């Protein structure tokens, strides 16, 4: 049975390469992972003044993540870090409900640049190590896809064989990891 995965796309851009990457993963790994894309677009700005009664967009987002068996972050890089929209969504998950705590998690990221979101992922790893988030992060499987625009076609298929093979290995590693800790 496929693992129910909430895929959090770290960008609110319509033509996000990370969204395209996750759409590819959703199709390619459908027998192993039941990937549901969870948008950050409608998540209202976090405020401690309203954290005990989250607005609809934030609550819907939190519930989708909470109901998943695992989480996939697909992370772009904005000014050497994660996007403000992603940080805001994570802030909501750290409060009232601790939606990520102990959830099996893995990270992928792509960018048009050569480093493939490495700095953003470093920041994300630091953020989700916070005790109120503390996911169970897949160790030793870092997916940084640089020059993504040259490796994906208009049908959102990865055309670079080495990238595709590497993703296959990471997904297999995640499924093994998930089965060990669940």
């Amino acid at each position: 049975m496929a693992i129910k995965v909430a895929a959090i796309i770290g960008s609110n851009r319509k033509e996000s390469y990370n969204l395209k990457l996750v759409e590819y993963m959703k199709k390619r790994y459908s027998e192993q992972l039941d990937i549901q894309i969870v948008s950050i677009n409608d998540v209202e700005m976090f405020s401690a003044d309203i954290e005990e009664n989250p607005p609809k967009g934030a609550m819907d987002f939190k519930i989708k993540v909470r109901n998943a068996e695992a989480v996939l972050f697909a992370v772009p890089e904005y000014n050497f870090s994660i996007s403000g929209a992603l940080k805001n969504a994570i802030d909501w998950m750290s409060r009232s409900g601790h939606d990520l705590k102990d959830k099996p998690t893995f990270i992928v990221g792509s960018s048009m640049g050569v480093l493939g979101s490495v700095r953003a992922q470093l920041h994300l790893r630091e953020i989700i190590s916070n005790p109120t988030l503390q996911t169970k992060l897949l160790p030793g499987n870092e997916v940084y896809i640089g020059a993504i625009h040259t490796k994906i076609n208009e049908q959102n298929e990865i055309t670079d064989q080495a990238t595709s093979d590497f993703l296959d290995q990471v997904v297999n590693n995640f499924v093994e990891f998930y089965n060990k800790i669940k």
Side-chain angles (χ1 to χ4, degrees):
M1 184 163 205
I3 302 165
K4 185 178 176 186
V5 178
I8 301 171
I9 312 302
S11 170
N12 52 12
R13 187 174 155 251
K14 277 189 248 179
E15 295 297 317
S16 164
Y17 283 111
N18 286 284
L19 173 59
K20 292 176 182 189
L21 173 60
V22 170
E23 287 171 345
Y24 167 79
M25 293 176 71
K26 179 176 178 155
K27 199 179 327 178
R28 183 171 179 92
Y29 307 112
S30 62
E31 290 186 21
Q32 296 161 285
L33 306 174
D34 177 13
I35 295 176
Q36 301 301 315
I37 295 171
V38 181
S39 175
I40 61 175
N41 294 4
D42 297 323
V43 178
E44 296 86 355
M45 287 299 297
F46 175 78
S47 170
D49 295 337
I50 58 172
E51 74 177 279
E52 293 303 320
N53 189 21
K56 182 177 179 1
M59 196 64 209
D60 290 349
F61 174 80
K62 288 169 65 62
I63 289 169
K64 287 175 186 173
V65 172
R66 189 179 306 148
N67 289 339
E69 296 170 318
V71 173
L72 166 64
F73 283 98
V75 185
E77 188 166 305
Y78 286 67
N79 298 315
F80 297 177
S81 190
I82 64 173
S83 70
L86 177 57
K87 177 63 168 74
N88 178 62
I90 292 169
D91 287 346
W92 275 110
M93 289 187 291
S94 73
R95 306 305 274 250
S96 47
H98 306 292
D99 307 296
L100 288 175
K101 190 145 175 84
D102 295 326
K103 212 167 274 273
T105 302
F106 67 122
I107 303 170
V108 298
S110 68
S111 72
M112 292 174 64
V114 69
L115 296 178
S117 81
V118 67
R119 293 171 290 212
Q121 289 191 42
L122 288 170
H123 286 174
L124 178 59
R125 289 171 196 282
E126 183 178 354
I127 292 165
I128 64 176
S129 71
N130 176 310
T132 62
L133 295 167
Q134 216 166 46
T135 67
K136 295 206 182 289
L137 184 61
L138 174 67
N141 288 260
E142 298 177 2
V143 180
Y144 310 119
I145 304 172
I148 185 67
H149 60 293
T150 68
K151 297 175 182 173
I152 196 164
N153 65 21
E154 300 220 356
Q155 291 75 42
N156 300 334
E157 298 165 332
I158 298 293
T159 56
D160 179 70
Q161 191 61 49
T163 300
S164 191
D165 291 346
F166 183 66
L167 280 172
D168 289 349
Q169 186 61 53
V170 169
V171 168
N172 287 333
N173 291 346
F174 180 74
V175 170
E176 279 182 35
F177 173 74
Y178 176 87
N179 289 327
K180 278 183 192 170
I181 64 171
K182 276 305 193 182

